[in-house]
Amino acid sequence: MAFLRSHNLSVEFPIYQGSSRSLKKTVVAGATQGNLGRDTADRINVRALDDITLDIKDGDRVGLIGANGAGKTTLLRVLAGIYAPTRGEFYSWGRISALLDVSLGLNPDATGRENIILRGMYMNIHPREMRSLVDEIAEFTELGPFIEMPARTYSSGMMVRLGFAISTCMPAEILLMDEWLSAGDARFLDKAQRRMERFVGGSAILVLASHSPELLRKWCNRGVLLQHGRIAAQGSIDEVLKVYIGAPPPEPAPSGHTKIASSLYMARDGFGMARDGSDGLLPQLDNVLRERTQFLHERDAALGERNELLRQRDLEIGLRNLQADRLARHVHRRDVAARRAAAGERLSLPVRAAGTRDHMMLFLFLLKAGGETLVDIFVRNLDTKDYLVVENNDICRSALGTWSDLAIDKALSRLQRNQIDDLRFVWGPYRHGVDARLPKSCAGLTLLHDPLERAISHFLSADPSTDPAGTLKNYLSSRDSDCPLLLDNYMTRILSGVAELDPAEPRATAANHRRVSDADFELAASNLDGYTVVGLTDQFDETLLVLGRELCWSLSDLLYKPITAAKSRAAAEISVSLRDKLMDWNRYDAALIERARAHLALRIHEYPCFEQDFALFRKLNALFQQGTPMEDLRRLEYEGIAR
Amino acid sequence: MTSCSSANMSVNLPKPASSIAAAWTDVVEGMTKSWMWWGMAMQDIKMRYRGSLLGPFWLIISMVIMIAAIGLIYARMEITQYLPFLTVGLVIWNFVSTVITEGRQTFLSAQNIITQVRLPFSIHAWRNVCRNLIVLTHNMVIVPFVLIVFGVHTGWSIVAIIPALLLLTINCIWISIFLGMISARYRDVPPIVMSFVQVIFFVTPIFWPPEALGIWMHALPLNPLFAAVDVVRAPLLGGAPLAYSWTVLLAVTVLGSAVTFVLFARLRPRIAYWV
């Protein structure tokens, strides 16, 4: 049975070495700002070990870990009974063999054989006894003929082998080893481990101080980490090594310092220092401060987290308010529409509005901007779900021709995708080859011009006073199906009664057609029924923004994706260069663009905080292109507006 | 080897032995490990003369040279009386003074051992004394030659040197421990002791007879070193030591041992820190 037990053990080194004692003391005190403890006799004390409580039992293989000057060697010396603790208690039981210094008792001038005897003497082994062990030791060291040579001819590795072999020649119950063992090579260490196990036996104690994690892992099952003379951690060797390797090295004393210098270094650090009779006030103060700092850090972190939560809550509330606001406006607008519908204005409003060229442009913009969704919303808001309206006039013929194609393609696409069951086309005299685009036979598609051709021809060529429009209108309104009806713009105008046609002329003449267009402009200028007129400009984003405001849409509703050329026209989307083309085409009518611009400028002028909204919209749109989720965009929009 | 005390399996460990008991154990253990301090002392001697041609014979030669030099120059009386007187005096003085001067280093020179292994501290004192006893034995070889050559008749009084040397040895032990401790603690002490020993050499009747002191003869009992030399020298020269020599030496032995033991008991745990 063997054990090593210490309770609150402390070791203090008095520093009064050297002949010029008082002079040295003065120098030291000056250099360290009097930070060192002084006892009643005015000595300087350095605490090398502080409050060490250990219980090492049979079978423990303890690894002592710590930086230079942490107190490993001092602790080993206490365990070996060399240093009596200055405070606290220490007990040990069992035959101790201490291997603290490889050079102990090794005389450089004596031969290896003599040194074995000599060192044995220092280890309390009688030379007579030692002589019987010499051969066994010599064999282990593998020194061969060198055993008869003076020890000064040995390499350091040979010295280590010799020292280790002698120290472990007698079974010991407690083996204390300092880090010099690390000097051996791997093969020696393996051999040493086997020898050690044999001599220490299964039940005895090993305490090993080392810097080598591999050695410690291999030899030890327990670990004790020393820092500034205190036990920083103890437990299984792996845990303690993790702590030691993970922790930043506690400012190692510069190499080459004497033991005293490194002790002073520790003392200046505020650790390991104490005044005789007191109980280490400074370390306690340090602990309190450290704890307080830790607490403050944690509090700050908690506050930051709470602030973040509050901010998110504010954001949620703001978003909800915004949505509620939008909803309220929509409800209001729906109510207005419902009231008007109840008052019998149902047909007049949408058809007339749809008939304006500017609304057609708006439609186009929305199609480009948001695709089907926006168009659907727009159509729903205009209460014109029964009608897809095709603009067709000579001012922007090409553009609108394209549009017509698109509208047809879109309608056909919807038909093919079974989104609508039935589709009927009705158009006026300006077909622009539309019929060529239509498939000759397609399920669900009805080309109304065939059954209506005569009626339309009659209508167009007949005298307006005979009111053929009424006939047509009656036909259209009396249809039993609610399938989409594709009317061209000309027909729309006539049916809605927007344009006053010259009764003296046939309706299909250029003059009558111009009259229809002019009526559109007049209608647009008068801003009938509060509907917005959006000009044909190259200021697409601005237009969209103004439009969005008029329609009470949030900015995120207006976000659009550029349509790439790769997407097929069958998907009813327009090509990416369409806008540019549109603008190009629209140059044909400088006056119109001028008017539209002026109108837009006016709208922008009336728009509060347009600059901010515009910048925000641009930013949101850019983010939208990068695939940012809609929720985040809405949040950003709110944050931008709230700011 | 127990470190502080023997303990058993129980949790309630006994209190460490008192410092007095520990010191006593230390002294006794040190004494009984004679093979250890003998080996150390022999090693010291070997080390001192390793590589030299004559080895330990240098001890004798240097002593002979010193005796010859002083004997020829300072001979104020009959040479047949003076040389034996001087020889025995110098040999004893050499022993005592070397124990004192080397006693300063009892623990300091063993620093390497003290901080590496736990051994009884008195071992180091024994080592010091033993080493010098070996030297004394070498030097003692000169004495019979001189006594025979100069026809000194010793007689049975020679038996008295046995208790005398025993007493001297005991004194050397406490001096080694005492000076060893004080020197380790106060580094000013070694040079002071060195000067002191040199002065004592000249005021102690070694190479001149006590009668030369004149009126200072009365102060002679105050010099314990004279008593130490006298109790060995007088029997060898066939005479009897001065009346108070034994008394002084005994008193010093008892007093010194007691004081040293008390100090040793108190300071023993600190020695390892001092060296």
Side-chain angles (χ1 to χ4, degrees), chain A residues 278-352:
Chain A
S278 79
D279 203 19
L281 270 180
L282 273 180
Q284 280 183 23
L285 191 64
D286 270 358
N287 278 341
V288 170
L289 282 177
R290 230 190 338 265
E291 272 167 26
R292 199 178 141 245
T293 315
Q294 178 71 17
F295 168 73
L296 286 178
H297 274 313
E298 280 168 12
R299 202 195 58 173
D300 282 356
L303 282 179
E305 223 168 273
R306 207 194 64 165
N307 281 345
E308 179 61 24
L309 282 177
L310 284 178
R311 209 179 60 79
Q312 279 185 5
R313 204 194 58 175
D314 283 356
L315 206 61
E316 298 292 336
I317 292 172
L319 274 177
R320 241 193 345 246
N321 286 346
L322 197 71
Q323 276 167 353
D325 186 46
R326 282 177 47 211
L327 200 64
R329 292 211 229 177
H330 279 294
V331 168
H332 172 70
R333 278 160 33 78
R334 205 181 52 198
D335 288 351
V336 169
R339 244 195 337 273
R340 280 183 183 148
E345 299 172 27
R346 186 180 177 277
L347 196 62
S348 65
L349 172 68
V351 174
R352 251 202 327 257

Side-chain angles (χ1 to χ4, degrees), chain A residues 1 16 82 84 86 92 100 107, chain B residues 3 9 47 114 270 273-274:
Chain A
M1 186 202 68
Y16 34 42
I82 294 161
T86 47
S92 74
L100 301 185
N107 189 327
Chain B
S3 186
M9 288 280 283
M47 285 310 298
I114 288 174
R270 307 294 299 164
Y273 292 96
W274 290 337

